[in-house]
Amino acid sequence: MTNSINVLHLISQASLVVQLIMAFLLILSIISWVLIFVLSGRLGQALKFDNRFDEWLWSDDLPKQFAIVQNEPHKNGLEQLFFDAYQKYQQQPSNHANSLAITERTLSSALNKQQQELEYGLPLLASIGSVAPYIGLLGTVWGIMNAFIGLSQSASVSLATVAPSIAEALIATALGLFVAIPASASFNILTAKASSIYERRSVFGERLLAQLMSLPADKSS
């Protein structure tokens, strides 16, 4: 009967460099999972809040809704976009076309700023997913190199003597994949969610500009 692989024993027998690489991969794994949970929660909350605010905003006249939003101490998502755009529109003179052009630029700037805040952490997650396999491969190459150096100094060479050293080295590659796969998969999923939120907010901005265009030229009305 063959003996089962004791991963912890193999890791403890690996060279110091390989152990450091494995420890670094473990840290990357912890960071990636923290990012995954934080980003998932952030995107989920943003989508939920946007849906509620979008439904509420169009239930009454924009001037009335703006008066309510103006008194809110904390604004985010579509609420912040609406507040920034409507406030900028009110501050402009009664030249309707010019007011809308300035408001559109303000809305675009606010939308991009919010998207940057929403996606904060995604580039790091992508980096972890892309570099983790190579870091693991580095540990494997180093471990195999040490194994062959040890074999060159050994009097007898057999599969039994080389197998443990090779197994120790290959664990680094496996650990690199263990870190990279969930990070890369989550990055793709979260990027798609963030893009969906951006598209929904862009549509909201277009609808808001259309509604502002229909308002009376006298902004005090």
Side-chain angles (χ1 to χ4, degrees):
M1 181 181 295
T2 58
N3 294 327
S4 60
I5 298 176
N6 190 328
V7 177
L8 293 178
H9 175 72
L10 291 176
I11 292 175
S12 66
Q13 296 300 313
S15 67
L16 179 60
V17 173
V18 176
Q19 288 180 342
L20 290 175
I21 289 175
M22 291 179 181
F24 183 59
L25 286 171
L26 181 60
I27 293 172
L28 289 182
S29 178
I30 294 172
I31 293 174
S32 68
W33 279 109
V34 170
L35 286 173
I36 289 168
F37 284 115
V38 170
L39 285 164
S40 297
R42 185 192 305 159
L43 293 172
Q45 289 178 357
L47 182 59
K48 187 182 298 184
F49 180 82
D50 282 359
N51 288 336
R52 290 202 305 264
F53 182 80
D54 188 56
E55 182 179 355
W56 171 82
L57 180 65
W58 308 116
S59 64
D60 207 338
D61 294 335
L62 292 185
K64 294 180 181 178
Q65 302 296 62
F66 177 75
I68 297 174
V69 171
Q70 195 173 20
N71 294 323
E72 291 290 334
H74 302 290
K75 306 175 186 65
N76 51 66
L78 293 185
E79 184 180 30
Q80 186 67 55
L81 291 178
F82 168 67
F83 177 78
D84 290 345
Y86 197 94
Q87 185 179 53
K88 178 60 68 173
Y89 175 75
Q90 277 194 326
Q91 293 172 351
Q92 302 308 309
S94 296
N95 184 334
H96 212 205
N98 187 53
S99 296
L100 287 174
I102 296 174
T103 302
E104 184 176 8
R105 289 195 294 270
T106 299
L107 190 60
S108 177
S109 176
L111 178 60
N112 291 330
K113 180 181 178 181
Q114 281 200 358
Q115 196 65 17
Q116 288 178 355
E117 296 174 352
L118 196 64
E119 296 178 355
Y120 183 78
L122 270 177
L124 178 56
L125 188 62
S127 298
I128 292 175
S130 62
V131 305
Y134 298 103
I135 297 174
L137 184 60
L138 174 62
T140 296
V141 171
W142 188 276
I144 292 176
M145 182 180 65
N146 281 341
F148 280 109
I149 291 175
L151 287 175
S152 67
Q153 300 170 351
S154 177
S156 62
V157 178
S158 66
L159 183 60
T161 58
V162 72
S165 299
I166 300 299
E168 295 166 7
L170 291 176
I171 290 177
T173 295
L175 186 55
L177 294 174
F178 175 78
V179 175
I181 291 173
S184 298
S186 299
F187 170 77
N188 292 332
I189 294 172
L190 295 172
T191 299
K193 288 184 178 181
S195 298
S196 176
I197 292 175
Y198 181 83
E199 292 298 327
R200 291 168 64 92
R201 289 178 175 180
S202 296
V203 171
F204 170 84
E206 293 174 0
R207 183 179 181 184
L208 178 59
L209 288 173
Q211 291 293 321
L212 292 177
M213 189 180 298
S214 66
L215 292 178
D218 183 5
K219 297 183 175 65
S220 63
S221 299

